[in-house]
Amino acid sequence: MPPNHLKIMLAGLFILVMSASGCSTILKSNTSTAEIPPAQKKVSSADTKKSKTIIKYIEKKESLAKNAFFHAMNKVKASGEKNTMVVTNAGYGSLDGKSSEAMIDAISAGTGCTPGKRTLLTVHTPCNEPFWATVINTDTFKAIFLQSSKDGLKKTGLNLSPKTLLTPQGWLKARSTDAGKRLFSIVSIAYAAKAGASWDMLRAAELHDHFCPGLNAGFLVRSYMEKAYPLGKGDKYVFVGAPPICAMDALQSIFGTTVGKRGTYAMDVAPKVNGAIASNGAKPVIIAMRVNTEKNKTDGVIIGFDFDRISDKTGVRTADLKPAGGPANPLFYISRVKVSWKMAQMPMKDKMPCLEVIKRFNRPAKTAAEVQNAKANPYAPLILPSY
């Protein structure tokens, strides 16, 4: 090998080694320089200083929060891993105008709760919602709700025991506290987790921000589709919510059939249409399709639900889910918590009677696109009424 080639190769190897070791040595030659331009040096220095400031801020907040969570756990007489659960929007919510992912570590350090133990559940909320966390004793359901405020983490004591909370008076009292806005999220998820809901159910509840009968319905669809329409080579699921219901979030979480990946669609349907298609008292809400473009095939099913079929097990009828006054009536949420809590404890075979198969179909692949785009022109009211 010519000497010059060997020198070049050794120089290149040296640069790689020095880069890998994090060394900032600057190599120079007679004809050029690898020095960072002065302007770039200033930017890098400023960025480094800013990063260090943010890290120090986060570390300080994390340390203070760790102590707050530890004291909250002691306050409700929880003992760490055995009977402690934390439901929080850490990682989503805002902490003093900054992101709150550091609070996940602070909660774990202060309470011993982690996602791997199914004791740290992170609820998807808007990023501009203040950070909050609820430390719960799962034996007594005594809890401390902590929320970010200008004065630090504000604490509120709660009694979330079913006996106390699942009454109109108990619900209204808890709803009047700082936790009121997120009471349904906290309670529905915590009860389901305590009842033994599977991890995939809890993940769907985190995405949906609460656990409810509609979310449960998504898991009934999953059980049905995996048995009746299992995926083979080249197959994919596509779901259409018509009208949109909570089950659609469960299906996105389970199968990754997100809107952005064109796996899930939703559209409103006139009540008279649903009524005309209803079967055995169950109105259609989901079109579940197995699509294979290579085989030019779309097969699937139109599905409806009737939760009255298991009311003897849940103690709640459909009419109870629609009390006078709607969400302003505490029974609106209490009934949903009860159904979800009971369903989390039931084996799938006992829940499946809720699902009604309204129609099965087997058609060409283009059918999926036809269903997805059926008379869909959301721009019509705004700009293109004639299209």
Side-chain angles (χ1 to χ4, degrees):
M1 179 183 292
N4 286 341
H5 287 191
L6 180 60
K7 289 178 182 179
I8 292 170
M9 195 170 87
L10 289 173
L13 180 61
F14 180 68
I15 291 171
L16 286 173
V17 171
M18 298 302 278
S19 299
S21 65
C23 182
S24 59
T25 302
I26 297 171
L27 302 176
K28 294 184 179 180
S29 70
N30 293 330
T31 58
S32 65
T33 177
E35 269 194 84
I36 302 172
Q40 192 173 335
K41 280 184 181 179
K42 290 180 181 178
V43 172
S44 299
S45 176
D47 285 349
T48 301
K49 186 176 180 181
K50 183 178 180 181
S51 296
K52 287 180 178 179
T53 301
I54 293 173
I55 289 170
K56 286 181 179 179
Y57 175 85
I58 291 173
E59 287 176 344
K60 181 180 179 181
K61 284 286 182 182
E62 190 175 339
S63 177
L64 291 171
K66 173 186 172 182
N67 292 331
F69 296 128
F70 178 76
H71 289 306
M73 185 175 67
N74 288 337
K75 186 74 174 176
V76 297
K77 298 181 180 179
S79 54
E81 298 178 14
K82 294 181 180 179
N83 65 346
T84 309
M85 181 187 300
V86 178
V87 181
T88 177
N89 72 339
Y92 296 105
S94 171
L95 185 65
D96 295 345
K98 299 177 176 62
S99 58
S100 59
E101 69 277 6
M103 293 300 100
I104 297 173
D105 290 344
I107 291 168
S108 292
T111 65
C113 295
T114 69
K117 299 169 188 169
R118 301 189 186 183
T119 53
L120 175 52
L121 302 167
T122 52
V123 180
H124 188 282
T125 66
C127 292
N128 61 354
E129 181 172 318
F131 161 77
W132 55 263
T134 310
V135 181
I136 306 167
N137 179 325
T138 54
D139 289 336
T140 64
F141 272 95
K142 294 292 176 65
I144 298 291
F145 178 79
L146 304 96
Q147 185 173 43
S148 175
S149 72
K150 63 180 181 180
D151 300 317
L153 290 176
K154 188 177 179 182
K155 305 174 188 66
T156 303
L158 298 169
N159 183 353
L160 303 180
S161 67
K163 185 177 179 180
T164 300
L165 186 67
L166 300 185
T167 64
Q169 297 80 10
W171 191 272
L172 287 172
K173 181 179 179 180
R175 195 168 68 182
S176 67
T177 68
D178 290 335
K181 181 182 176 183
R182 281 298 172 187
L183 185 62
F184 183 45
S185 299
I186 297 162
V187 174
S188 61
I189 293 174
Y191 282 12
K194 175 66 175 179
S198 63
W199 182 241
D200 50 3
M201 283 187 173
L202 294 176
R203 292 296 279 173
E206 288 176 330
L207 171 66
H208 191 54
D209 94 15
H210 63 261
F211 208 71
C212 63
L215 200 74
N216 270 285
F219 286 88
L220 303 186
V221 175
R222 176 222 192 144
S223 181
Y224 178 84
M225 291 298 290
E226 288 183 338
K227 291 177 182 177
Y229 298 92
L231 293 179
K233 184 179 179 181
D235 292 336
K236 67 175 182 177
Y237 288 136
V238 177
F239 301 101
V240 178
I245 64 168
C246 304
M248 305 309 293
D249 281 356
L251 294 170
Q252 290 186 80
S253 177
I254 297 163
F255 294 115
T257 51
T258 64
V259 173
K261 291 184 280 190
R262 300 186 180 185
T264 293
Y265 297 81
M267 61 188 73
D268 278 323
V269 179
K272 65 179 182 180
V273 173
N274 281 65
I277 307 173
S279 173
N280 297 319
K283 293 181 179 180
V285 287
I286 292 177
I287 302 170
M289 298 179 281
R290 179 176 60 180
V291 183
N292 190 313
T293 53
E294 292 182 6
K295 296 179 180 178
N296 190 27
K297 183 178 181 180
T298 292
D299 56 359
V301 62
I302 298 174
I303 292 172
F305 301 97
D306 182 0
F307 290 102
D308 280 346
R309 298 176 186 179
I310 59 169
S311 62
D312 60 323
K313 296 182 176 66
T314 64
V316 179
R317 295 188 61 79
T318 301
D320 300 326
L321 299 172
K322 302 175 182 178
N329 188 331
L331 293 176
F332 179 91
Y333 293 106
I334 291 172
S335 59
R336 283 163 170 73
V337 170
K338 284 182 177 179
V339 174
S340 301
W341 183 27
K342 294 295 183 181
M343 289 185 76
Q345 302 172 53
M346 295 167 60
M348 187 59 71
K349 66 179 180 64
D350 291 345
K351 294 184 278 192
M352 287 306 292
C354 293
L355 185 146
E356 174 74 16
V357 174
I358 295 174
K359 180 180 175 63
R360 296 182 179 86
F361 53 85
N362 190 334
R363 299 187 178 186
K366 67 177 184 178
T367 302
E370 291 172 349
V371 171
Q372 297 158 16
N373 300 309
K375 295 183 180 179
N377 182 12
Y379 299 104
L382 304 171
I383 192 169
L384 294 172
S386 61
Y387 281 74

